């Protein structure tokens, strides 16, 4: 265990992923070479293959890692209470998680087309798990008579698109603080779904 | 005028734009070459330069053309009536315009980063004009006391992201018809903003 602490792989692995994320977000997967990623990290192109077998695996690791972080953070958020409280919790959680990760949001949406079929299916399944968490809150509220949501699946997609869209215009240090944004969006979400 | 009718340029120009849109949506701007676009159209690479001076101009033409079509269609839709009617008109217009154009939606969002500064500014100004049309409806409804929209600019961005997000999951011939989708989204939009 002591050997792993601060080992070459520990330090360089995250730097490879950071560089790949930054370059792919800026130029697109197809335009970025393993050589460019290695150069950005400051290692030889050959050494990059110690960290990832190929570019497809690197892309998949980025997208799967993003979804795994999201699902783990949602579980840690441990949304409790009635359906309205859980919907508020989900809304605020979604904004807080995505706001500091614009590159991940962009790459996760844009590069789905460049995943192999198998990798696409794996990422889609994780995305579906996340969507299902919101959908189950909406269905519970509908059953309780608190929400009026004629098609919970569509409403799920609509709310996630609305909330994730903040990444298109939000810039840290801009006109609005993150907590003000949360309040405005939660107000819209609540009104859009309550009976 | 008779000479222009059915001329080479008339026929091939739109095919160049269609091919470029399809290839860029599939592979990304940076990964697509002028040679590939020419090959897709079935002309010599050199002949492509009769239609566009370079790849940047082609991308700009696609994105500017999409925004020009959108603004012209919105003007033709000629939204009238009180603010609630105009908001419904805008919502239905936005869905109807974007649903058959998933490649344009994708490229317009994804390839902003690949526009030159000058071209980016031009496309952004057109996008802002479109957003302003919705914002002015929200401000009018707020002034009339029909809408409760504490920050019309944010609500504008939220609603546009929600509506444009339909392109992420909608497939023609899927579970829901376009008019059913319009009805569900209009219901959410109306409830999200009305006082």
């Amino acid at each position: 265990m002591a050997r792993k602490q601060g080992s070459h792989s520990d330090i360089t692995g995250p730097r490879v992923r950071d560089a790949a994320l930054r370059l792919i977000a800026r130029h697109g997967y197809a335009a970025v070479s393993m050589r460019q990623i290695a150069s950005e990290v400051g290692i030889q192109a050959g050494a990059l293959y110690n960290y990832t077998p190929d570019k497809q695996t690197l892309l998949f690791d980025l997208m799967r890692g993003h979804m795994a972080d999201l699902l783990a953070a949602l579980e840690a958020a441990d949304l409790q209470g009635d359906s309205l409280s859980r919907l508020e919790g989900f809304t605020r959680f979604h904004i807080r998680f995505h706001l500091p990760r614009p590159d991940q949001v962009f790459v996760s949406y844009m590069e789905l087309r460049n995943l192999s079929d198998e990798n696409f299916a794996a990422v889609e399944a994780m995305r579906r798990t996340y969507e299902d968490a919101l959908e189950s809150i909406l269905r519970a509220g509908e059953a309780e008579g608190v929400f009026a949501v004629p098609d919970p699946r569509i409403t799920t997609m609509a709310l996630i698109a609305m909330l994730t869209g903040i990444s298109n215009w939000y810039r840290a240090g801009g006109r609005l603080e993150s907590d003000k944004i949360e309040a405005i969006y939660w107000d819209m979400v609540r009104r859009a779904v309550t009976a």
Side-chain angles (χ1 to χ4, degrees), chain A:
Chain A
M1 294 300 282
R3 192 167 168 276
K4 204 162 180 292
Q5 186 74 19
S7 76
H8 194 235
S9 176
D10 272 7
I11 299 167
T12 310
R15 288 181 54 223
V16 167
R17 285 191 292 275
D18 287 353
L21 177 67
R22 201 162 50 240
L23 287 170
I24 292 172
R26 173 134 185 69
H27 305 289
Y29 173 79
V32 172
S33 68
M34 290 290 268
R35 186 169 295 277
Q36 274 176 285
I37 296 168
S39 164
E40 180 90 358
V41 177
I43 59 178
Q44 295 293 318
L48 188 55
Y49 292 92
N50 294 332
Y51 304 99
T52 185
D54 51 46
K55 200 169 67 153
Q56 172 66 213
T57 305
L58 192 48
L59 178 66
F60 180 49
D61 283 348
L62 287 176
M63 294 177 75
R64 183 179 50 181
H66 175 64
M67 287 310 301
D69 290 349
L70 176 66
L71 291 171
L74 179 64
E75 190 159 327
D78 190 27
L79 306 181
Q80 299 286 347
D82 59 23
S83 53
L84 192 67
S85 303
R86 282 182 289 139
L87 183 62
E88 176 170 3
F90 186 95
T91 300
R92 292 183 183 274
F93 164 79
H94 187 94
I95 294 173
R96 275 177 218 173
F97 184 87
H98 288 95
L99 226 48
R101 293 174 172 85
D103 280 353
Q104 284 96 330
V105 169
F106 188 64
V107 168
S108 289
Y109 167 63
M110 175 184 69
E111 299 297 0
L112 279 175
R113 63 187 169 166
N114 280 318
L115 288 174
S116 69
D117 289 351
E118 193 182 357
N119 291 344
F120 176 82
V123 169
E124 270 298 283
M126 296 172 86
R127 186 187 297 259
R128 182 72 195 219
T129 299
Y130 183 71
E131 292 163 359
D132 285 351
L134 174 55
E135 189 176 335
S136 74
I137 296 171
L138 295 175
R139 288 189 184 279
E142 173 81 18
E144 293 162 18
V146 181
F147 299 157
V149 183
D151 193 316
R153 180 74 197 149
I154 298 292
T155 302
T156 296
M157 302 309 282
L159 296 181
I160 286 179
M162 186 174 90
L163 296 173
T164 307
I166 300 173
S167 299
N168 297 345
W169 58 263
Y170 176 78
R171 296 295 170 267
R175 177 169 68 91
L176 287 171
E177 297 298 326
S178 167
D179 57 347
K180 184 80 195 299
I181 291 170
E182 276 181 37
I184 293 172
Y185 274 80
W186 163 236
D187 186 52
M188 280 190 282
V189 167
R190 182 182 53 72
R191 289 156 66 189
V193 306
T194 45

